[in-house]
Amino acid sequence: MTEPRYNVLFLCTGNSARSVLGECLVNHLGGGRFRGYSAGSHPSGRIFPPVLDFLESQGLETGQLRSKSWDEFATPDAPHMNFVFTVCDSAANEVCPVWPGQPITAHWGMPDPVAKAGDEEQARLAVQEVVRMLSNRIRLFTSLPLDSLDRMSLQNRLKEIGQQTDETALS
């Protein structure tokens, strides 16, 4: 018996950093059970170069990455998402499209490395901070017993994960 594959969409405004990192990290950390996607409400049209540098330094595939609109995932022929996570406060406060398949949603806000970036070193550190936060949350998420939790319990647990700081996530 093969394990189910869950589709996970990460959203932010520009789809240039946080959501892209979420897509790649859930693909990497999810043990083949999860397929990550990312999109933005107002895509910037490019991936933040320090994000690409980080992903490539970790040996993660970047060739298929592109900044895209969340509208691509709201069509009937789009992959049906099981989970949708907003990773920036701006996207969380926008009216999202109606997602086919009624995915479970949660807000996992974190700082924008693009806004924090100054010089090359600051940009690198800002990306690493987001990677650390997202990795902690994704590890908690992917370790949940998804098949044994009812929808309300799962929704509450995902909300709790999004409210945890690095310190509480690791304790």
Side-chain angles (χ1 to χ4, degrees):
M1 185 166 135
T2 60
E3 286 201 58
R5 186 170 191 106
Y6 299 98
N7 289 328
V8 183
L9 178 61
F10 291 88
L11 300 174
C12 66
T13 305
N15 188 219
S16 64
R18 293 166 286 186
S19 55
V20 172
L21 288 166
E23 172 184 355
C24 292
L25 290 169
V26 80
N27 286 336
H28 179 68
L29 299 171
R33 293 177 49 220
F34 298 86
R35 172 72 174 115
Y37 299 89
S38 67
S41 57
H42 303 286
S44 68
R46 70 180 188 94
I47 307 297
F48 186 47
V51 166
L52 292 173
D53 292 343
F54 172 82
L55 294 170
E56 289 167 357
S57 76
Q58 301 302 303
L60 300 176
E61 178 59 42
T62 62
Q64 300 297 317
L65 296 177
R66 64 185 176 84
S67 177
K68 58 201 158 297
S69 174
W70 63 14
D71 292 336
E72 290 185 28
F73 296 95
T75 64
D77 59 335
H80 284 206
M81 296 299 140
N82 301 99
F83 302 95
V84 176
F85 299 116
T86 52
V87 291
C88 77
D89 294 337
S90 296
N93 292 323
E94 294 184 60
V95 176
C96 292
V98 174
W99 309 113
Q102 300 179 335
I104 295 174
T105 62
H107 178 59
W108 288 1
M110 55 197 58
D112 183 3
V114 176
K116 293 176 94 179
D119 61 27
E120 191 174 312
E121 180 65 10
Q122 288 174 320
R124 186 181 66 74
L125 291 172
V127 168
Q128 287 178 347
E129 176 185 7
V130 170
V131 167
R132 185 178 59 255
M133 292 175 71
L134 267 172
S135 294
N136 288 340
R137 291 175 184 183
I138 288 170
R139 282 187 182 102
L140 290 169
F141 164 58
T142 59
S143 68
L144 291 172
L146 299 178
D147 293 334
S148 64
L149 291 172
D150 64 68
R151 186 175 178 91
M152 183 64 75
S153 298
L154 185 53
Q155 178 74 59
N156 289 336
R157 186 64 185 117
L158 295 176
K159 182 179 177 183
E160 290 170 8
I161 289 171
Q163 294 171 343
Q164 292 179 336
T165 63
D166 277 343
E167 293 75 29
T168 59
L170 296 173
S171 59

